[in-house]
Amino acid sequence: MQEERLESLLQENRMFKPTSEFTAQANIRTPEIYEMGQEHLSFWEKQAERLDWFEPWKKTLEWSPPFAQWYLGGKLNASYNCLDRHLRDWHRNKAALIFEGENGDSRILTYQDLHREVSQLANVLKSLGVGKGDRVTIYLPMIPEAVISMLACARIGAPHSVVFGGFSSDALRDRINDAQAKVVITSDGSFRRGSIVPLKENADIALQDVTCVEHVIVVQRTAHQVNMQENRDIWYHEALKTASLDCPPVPMDAEDMLFILYTSGTTGKPKGVVHSTGGYMVGVSTTHDWVFDLKEEDVYWCTADVGWITGHSYIVYGPLANGATVVLYEGSPDYPNKDRYWEIIEKYQVSILYTAPTAIRSFMKWGPSYPQRRDLSSLRLLGTVGEPINPEAWMWYYKYIGGEHCPIVDTWWQTETGMIMMAPLPGITPLRPGSCTGPFPGVKIEVVDKTGKPVPKGGGGYLAIREPWPAMLRNIYGDPQRFEKTYFGEWPGIYFTGDGAKWDKDGNFWVLGRVDDVINVSGHRIGTMEVESALVDHPLVAEAAVIGKTHEIKGQALTAFITLKEGSEIYPTLIDELKKHVVRKIGALARPEDIFFTAELPKTRSGKIIRRLLRDIAEGRALGDIATLADTSAVNFLKAMYQD
Ligand code: WT7
């Protein structure tokens, strides 16, 4: 995939300069901001002033690689910054959340409404014995209660761990156990294309093997029958009825943990990425303001799920810290019709839309008639995130959604970076379709070679981050060794992103995708090892190798190669059974697109599966050097089978 992308990108020379109208009204209008960013400490010191601190910090940065501490000694509360400080003036009556349910039901919460419900839920959590430092797992659909739960945790200093509602009970159990959560907040169910996903039932199954959880708070969403376990389970709406509206925010140290968010890595075990309070909030609010050129009257919609970092940083903490009006949509882009997104934009007069390349490729496939039936004239800025965007998708987005007048900000970042690290500043940066342009001010990103040395302009290599940044992850929960090895093991003191990239002669960055065993399916990160472990957990499977095959809509799709145990027979429904097995172990997002059986897997002499070769086979490319192979007959066998 990397080679193909590189080839098409090398011919990409379209450029879109900011229009003078846009620049004239932009939050950031002059390139001097990049010079200010060079002085990276004073730059981030200045940006911290946008937050309300209970006590000022004494030192900006303490950097003893791989551990960074920002705004030392400062005290603040994330929920106070997202809510209370907006209540001082008319903003109290500004819409904070505009919720659109899958069924078309809607609910609008002002900042005051949100503050009230967050305070009440925070009091409920306290009454259940949750205090500062206790972890709470949140397993909810995209409903206001998801945002309320996150902010309620933040208010009392209890780090949250949001688990995406598409994860299975097994995946949920592992994440609850790893975080040793005291309380789980879930709902009876969630709506998905007209059917109900049984979240409470999943949580009940997960909790069978969990001892740390004392209580489960259940939001009523679908109102279907669920089991409520006595002395453990509590209805959200009942608990709130009697909860006090007054819950003072707990002053947190800048370095106190705000949340844990699990993400896939190169091993079978997901990593609990730990984010701080002060640095994280400074990073997400600054980037949200400048990259999206946020204005008071904007209606901002990020289509991600709150279960991912995009939702944490750019649905909840960044936008609400900035006092924005945020649209929250529960459902799918094609339910009940393929114009659902455009209907929502028309209905709420959305002015900023932030979505993923995989969604844009689906819209392209469905054709322009869907957006064309709706009035999209309220839009003034578009964004993308999650994976490299191919220039054709960029152009389609620009033309059919942006009406050729909205800048597109292609934002590169990661769960670990917490905040956008590369993106244009739309008032000053010329846009290049397919490139995220360059680093945000105050961020130092480089393309480096194997030894960690920067490559000259025009070269390609690994994407690395030279200096610490405020929203960087602080640790992997409970595993500092893994933290150091994963991100700083390659070159001491330099953060390795796991991505390959090219840096062109004008200094634009072209991200090519992961260079490790992580696959990006529809903008979601999936570790090959996780899927392989799920497959070998099936009683008939001996060995499994999973690769990402280029896919028109998803970017990459999971393809699995499998050897069965001695004496096992292949039967017609086995492929389907294996796919279901993976869904049960991880969730629908990890369902393999294709599964192939083979007598043997290609391995190096030292016994390592050669995934690259499998990718070549799956994508029908000529085979390269296979001299290191222990058994070339395995390859020939596989190749013959794949071509059938
Ligand atoms: C990986 C991080 C951060 C939000 C969503 C994904 C890829 C992300 C871009 C982009 C090219 C991108 C990278 C990165 N990625 N944004 N604009 N252009 N690639 O978060 O699950 O932590 O995945 O997504 O490969 O390493 P994540």
Short mmCIF file of all heavy atoms in Angstrom, two decimals, residues 309-310 385-388 410-416 499 511 514 520 523 525, ligand 1:
data_model
loop_
_atom_site.label_atom_id
_atom_site.label_comp_id
_atom_site.label_asym_id
_atom_site.label_seq_id
_atom_site.Cartn_x
_atom_site.Cartn_y
_atom_site.Cartn_z
N ILE A 309 -10.03 8.30 20.54
CA ILE A 309 -9.38 9.55 20.98
C ILE A 309 -9.97 10.76 20.26
O ILE A 309 -10.08 11.84 20.85
CB ILE A 309 -7.84 9.48 20.79
CG1 ILE A 309 -7.14 10.66 21.50
CG2 ILE A 309 -7.47 9.48 19.33
CD1 ILE A 309 -7.17 10.62 22.99
N THR A 310 -10.38 10.60 19.01
CA THR A 310 -10.95 11.75 18.28
C THR A 310 -12.16 12.28 19.04
O THR A 310 -12.36 13.50 19.16
CB THR A 310 -11.34 11.36 16.85
OG1 THR A 310 -10.22 10.72 16.25
CG2 THR A 310 -11.72 12.58 16.03
N VAL A 385 -9.52 12.95 9.45
CA VAL A 385 -8.60 12.32 10.40
C VAL A 385 -8.72 10.81 10.34
O VAL A 385 -9.75 10.27 9.96
CB VAL A 385 -8.92 12.76 11.84
CG1 VAL A 385 -10.30 12.32 12.30
CG2 VAL A 385 -7.87 12.20 12.82
N GLY A 386 -7.64 10.15 10.73
CA GLY A 386 -7.70 8.70 10.96
C GLY A 386 -6.82 7.89 10.05
O GLY A 386 -6.39 6.80 10.41
N GLU A 387 -6.58 8.36 8.86
CA GLU A 387 -5.76 7.61 7.91
C GLU A 387 -5.39 8.57 6.79
O GLU A 387 -5.97 9.65 6.67
CB GLU A 387 -6.56 6.44 7.35
CG GLU A 387 -7.86 6.91 6.78
CD GLU A 387 -8.69 5.81 6.14
OE1 GLU A 387 -8.15 5.01 5.39
OE2 GLU A 387 -9.90 5.81 6.40
N PRO A 388 -4.45 8.17 5.97
CA PRO A 388 -4.11 9.05 4.85
C PRO A 388 -5.33 9.21 3.94
O PRO A 388 -6.09 8.27 3.74
CB PRO A 388 -3.02 8.26 4.11
CG PRO A 388 -2.48 7.27 5.09
CD PRO A 388 -3.62 6.96 6.01
N ASP A 410 -6.54 18.41 6.92
CA ASP A 410 -6.18 17.00 7.08
C ASP A 410 -5.31 16.92 8.32
O ASP A 410 -4.21 17.47 8.36
CB ASP A 410 -5.43 16.54 5.82
CG ASP A 410 -4.91 15.11 5.91
OD1 ASP A 410 -5.03 14.48 6.98
OD2 ASP A 410 -4.35 14.64 4.91
N THR A 411 -5.83 16.29 9.36
CA THR A 411 -5.16 16.33 10.67
C THR A 411 -4.50 14.99 10.99
O THR A 411 -5.17 13.97 11.07
CB THR A 411 -6.17 16.67 11.78
OG1 THR A 411 -7.15 15.61 11.86
CG2 THR A 411 -6.89 17.98 11.50
N TRP A 412 -3.20 15.02 11.17
CA TRP A 412 -2.48 13.80 11.56
C TRP A 412 -2.21 13.82 13.05
O TRP A 412 -1.66 14.80 13.58
CB TRP A 412 -1.14 13.66 10.82
CG TRP A 412 -0.43 12.41 11.26
CD1 TRP A 412 -0.52 11.18 10.67
CD2 TRP A 412 0.42 12.26 12.41
NE1 TRP A 412 0.20 10.27 11.40
CE2 TRP A 412 0.79 10.89 12.47
CE3 TRP A 412 0.89 13.11 13.40
CZ2 TRP A 412 1.62 10.38 13.47
CZ3 TRP A 412 1.71 12.60 14.41
CH2 TRP A 412 2.08 11.25 14.43
N TRP A 413 -2.58 12.75 13.71
CA TRP A 413 -2.26 12.57 15.13
C TRP A 413 -2.59 11.17 15.55
O TRP A 413 -2.92 10.33 14.69
CB TRP A 413 -2.95 13.64 15.99
CG TRP A 413 -4.44 13.70 15.90
CD1 TRP A 413 -5.19 14.02 14.80
CD2 TRP A 413 -5.38 13.46 16.96
NE1 TRP A 413 -6.52 14.00 15.12
CE2 TRP A 413 -6.67 13.65 16.43
CE3 TRP A 413 -5.26 13.11 18.30
CZ2 TRP A 413 -7.83 13.50 17.21
CZ3 TRP A 413 -6.40 12.96 19.07
CH2 TRP A 413 -7.68 13.16 18.52
N GLN A 414 -2.49 10.87 16.82
CA GLN A 414 -2.66 9.50 17.32
C GLN A 414 -3.29 9.53 18.71
O GLN A 414 -3.23 10.54 19.40
CB GLN A 414 -1.30 8.81 17.46
CG GLN A 414 -0.43 8.86 16.26
CD GLN A 414 0.90 8.17 16.50
OE1 GLN A 414 1.65 8.58 17.38
NE2 GLN A 414 1.20 7.15 15.73
N THR A 415 -3.79 8.35 19.12
CA THR A 415 -4.29 8.21 20.49
C THR A 415 -3.22 8.71 21.47
O THR A 415 -3.52 9.40 22.44
CB THR A 415 -4.59 6.72 20.78
OG1 THR A 415 -5.50 6.26 19.79
CG2 THR A 415 -5.19 6.53 22.16
N GLU A 416 -1.98 8.38 21.17
CA GLU A 416 -0.88 8.71 22.07
C GLU A 416 -0.55 10.19 22.08
O GLU A 416 -0.08 10.72 23.08
CB GLU A 416 0.38 7.94 21.67
CG GLU A 416 0.30 6.44 21.85
CD GLU A 416 -0.29 5.70 20.64
OE1 GLU A 416 -0.93 6.37 19.79
OE2 GLU A 416 -0.11 4.47 20.55
N ASP A 499 4.62 5.33 12.12
CA ASP A 499 4.23 5.65 10.74
C ASP A 499 5.46 5.88 9.86
O ASP A 499 6.49 6.34 10.33
CB ASP A 499 3.39 6.94 10.71
CG ASP A 499 1.94 6.70 11.07
OD1 ASP A 499 1.56 5.53 11.25
OD2 ASP A 499 1.19 7.68 11.16
N VAL A 511 2.03 11.33 4.87
CA VAL A 511 2.06 10.15 5.74
C VAL A 511 1.66 8.94 4.91
O VAL A 511 0.66 8.97 4.18
CB VAL A 511 1.11 10.33 6.94
CG1 VAL A 511 1.08 9.07 7.79
CG2 VAL A 511 1.56 11.52 7.78
N ARG A 514 1.19 2.89 8.57
CA ARG A 514 1.95 2.23 9.63
C ARG A 514 3.08 1.38 9.05
O ARG A 514 2.93 0.75 8.01
CB ARG A 514 1.03 1.32 10.45
CG ARG A 514 -0.20 1.98 11.02
CD ARG A 514 0.04 2.90 12.17
NE ARG A 514 0.81 2.31 13.24
CZ ARG A 514 0.92 2.88 14.46
NH1 ARG A 514 0.30 4.02 14.71
NH2 ARG A 514 1.64 2.31 15.38
N ASN A 520 -4.81 -0.35 9.82
CA ASN A 520 -5.76 0.74 9.94
C ASN A 520 -7.00 0.40 9.10
O ASN A 520 -6.99 0.55 7.89
CB ASN A 520 -5.10 2.03 9.47
CG ASN A 520 -5.92 3.26 9.82
OD1 ASN A 520 -7.15 3.22 9.79
ND2 ASN A 520 -5.25 4.35 10.14
N GLY A 523 -9.98 3.72 9.53
CA GLY A 523 -9.52 4.70 10.52
C GLY A 523 -9.41 4.14 11.92
O GLY A 523 -9.13 4.87 12.86
N ARG A 525 -7.57 1.46 14.54
CA ARG A 525 -6.32 0.73 14.68
C ARG A 525 -6.58 -0.67 15.19
O ARG A 525 -7.20 -0.85 16.22
CB ARG A 525 -5.50 1.46 15.72
CG ARG A 525 -4.20 1.89 15.22
CD ARG A 525 -3.75 2.97 16.12
NE ARG A 525 -2.83 2.44 17.10
CZ ARG A 525 -2.12 3.24 17.87
NH1 ARG A 525 -2.28 4.53 17.81
NH2 ARG A 525 -1.28 2.73 18.72
C1 WT7 B 1 -2.79 6.34 13.35
C2 WT7 B 1 -3.28 6.67 14.72
C3 WT7 B 1 -5.94 10.37 15.86
C4 WT7 B 1 -7.22 10.09 15.49
C5 WT7 B 1 -7.65 8.82 14.89
C6 WT7 B 1 -6.72 7.69 14.82
C7 WT7 B 1 -3.16 7.17 11.20
C8 WT7 B 1 -4.34 9.34 11.72
C9 WT7 B 1 -3.96 10.48 9.91
C10 WT7 B 1 -3.86 11.40 8.83
C11 WT7 B 1 -2.52 9.84 7.73
C12 WT7 B 1 -3.32 9.24 9.79
C13 WT7 B 1 -1.67 7.05 11.44
C14 WT7 B 1 -1.55 7.11 12.95
N1 WT7 B 1 -3.58 8.55 10.93
N2 WT7 B 1 -4.58 10.50 11.11
N3 WT7 B 1 -4.46 12.59 8.85
N4 WT7 B 1 -3.12 11.03 7.76
N5 WT7 B 1 -2.59 8.92 8.70
O1 WT7 B 1 -6.05 7.47 16.01
O2 WT7 B 1 -6.30 5.00 16.32
O3 WT7 B 1 -4.45 6.27 17.48
O4 WT7 B 1 -4.40 5.87 15.00
O5 WT7 B 1 -3.79 6.72 12.40
O6 WT7 B 1 -1.23 5.82 10.96
O7 WT7 B 1 -0.40 6.48 13.44
P1 WT7 B 1 -5.30 6.11 16.27
#
